[in-house]
Amino acid sequence: MADNNLQAVFAKRAEELREYIFSQPASNFENNPWALADAIETFANEKGHMMIFRAKKLAVAKEALVAQSPAPRTILEFGTFVGKSALAWGAMLRDIHGENVPEDVNVYTFDPNPQMVALTRDLVKLCGLEGLVHVVEGPGSECLNKLVAEGKVTSVDMAFFDHWEKFYLSDLQLIEELKLWREGSLAIADNTDMPGAPDYLAYVRAGGSGVDGAVKYETKSIETKGTRGPVSF
Ligand SMILES: C[S@@+](CC[C@H](N)C(=O)[O-])C[C@H]1O[C@@H](n2cnc3c(N)ncnc32)[C@H](O)[C@@H]1O
């Protein structure tokens, strides 16, 4: 399918998803982000053509986040789409920190597509994650630079790369340049083999830039079966 056609399908799916969710009783999802994330996956399984990060991969990521010490407080996500994974990161942080999540625990999810941003903001509100999950409109690099300049992001516990693979490496390096990684931070990237992010993989597998005093990466690749490729830590 040509790229323009695919974008049109994604736009249509986002509208259909809005209708599917908001035609149900709000009580199905109020204060229940996991129920909402599951409903998005059910919709995606029925309709197809939904580039969401599915439950199986989320379970792998959750295991890594739960094991993090100190516990994760700041998550960055590059690529919001319909908010499936952003809701899941918010739900995980609530599972880790308890329902009254401290103010300095936040998910920032970035997407330049205003339709996806508007839908995800409505979904975040529906399931009670406002104040915890922030949907920021624009290319991830611009959004992140602004958040850092405003003093809203000073450190990153986990960054999730799930936008266009050609941006994975430069956005990872931006986090490095902004000195946001701490020892034990996680970088999680989806679809690194297919469609593929070879430059990103080569860089992290080499351990980083190799410059003295620079961030050092350790990697682990996890293969999952599905329509898109494996997840890489
Ligand atoms: C694979 S989808 C994200 C799926 C989402 N994480 C989920 O699980 O539901 C990719 C998204 O990345 C967005 N995108 C494209 N370029 C971007 C950029 N430079 N920064 C952030 N997001 C970008 C696209 O608009 C698209 O919505």
Side-chain angles (χ1 to χ4, degrees):
M1 204 180 304
D3 201 41
N4 279 350
N5 287 347
L6 206 47
Q7 292 308 323
V9 173
F10 293 149
K12 185 163 173 274
R13 284 287 180 276
E15 267 324 296
E16 291 167 343
L17 175 67
R18 178 184 282 284
E19 171 61 27
Y20 174 79
I21 296 294
F22 286 96
S23 64
Q24 298 185 40
S27 56
N28 286 4
F29 307 117
E30 275 164 2
N31 205 28
N32 195 344
W34 281 124
L36 185 49
D38 287 348
I40 296 172
E41 186 147 341
T42 301
F43 171 88
N45 291 341
E46 283 168 9
K47 288 282 186 177
H49 284 110
M50 292 280 285
M51 45 181 179
I52 57 164
F53 197 62
R54 290 170 190 276
K56 262 193 193 166
K57 293 181 179 182
L58 281 166
V60 175
K62 184 173 183 185
E63 218 175 287
L65 277 174
V66 167
Q68 251 189 337
S69 177
R73 305 187 90 75
T74 303
I75 291 179
L76 303 182
E77 173 176 272
F78 294 80
T80 310
F81 190 44
V82 296
K84 164 77 196 311
S85 46
L87 298 175
W89 305 133
M92 286 181 206
L93 288 178
R94 269 181 37 163
D95 290 349
I96 291 169
H97 291 277
E99 216 165 285
N100 292 322
V101 176
E103 264 183 28
D104 67 339
V105 174
N106 292 290
V107 176
Y108 295 97
T109 179
F110 312 128
D111 204 298
N113 184 326
Q115 182 194 11
M116 303 308 169
V117 168
L119 172 60
T120 303
R121 283 185 182 148
D122 290 343
L123 296 174
V124 164
K125 200 166 166 202
L126 175 64
C127 69
L129 287 180
E130 316 106 293
L132 171 56
V133 176
H134 311 274
V135 190
V136 190
E137 185 176 331
S141 53
E142 284 178 22
C143 298
L144 180 59
N145 272 316
K146 192 158 178 276
L147 287 170
V148 169
E150 291 168 350
K152 291 185 177 153
V153 171
T154 54
S155 164
V156 170
D157 299 290
M158 191 275 271
F160 178 50
F161 301 97
D162 193 22
H163 46 339
W164 304 152
E165 289 77 9
K166 64 182 174 188
F167 298 127
Y168 283 16
L169 179 58
S170 56
D171 286 338
L172 175 96
Q173 288 172 329
L174 176 64
I175 297 173
E176 219 177 296
E177 282 158 27
L178 292 170
K179 303 200 184 318
L180 298 174
W181 293 131
R182 64 162 171 87
E183 198 173 332
S185 290
L186 288 166
I188 302 181
D190 195 18
N191 307 314
T192 47
D193 277 6
M194 194 184 70
D199 56 348
Y200 171 93
L201 278 184
Y203 184 80
V204 292
R205 284 177 176 162
S209 66
V211 172
D212 253 6
V215 174
K216 289 196 174 56
Y217 296 93
E218 289 174 11
T219 63
K220 181 159 125 189
S221 287
I222 296 167
E223 203 142 337
T224 55
K225 289 206 174 91
T227 49
R228 306 256 287 183
V231 178
S232 163
F233 284 76

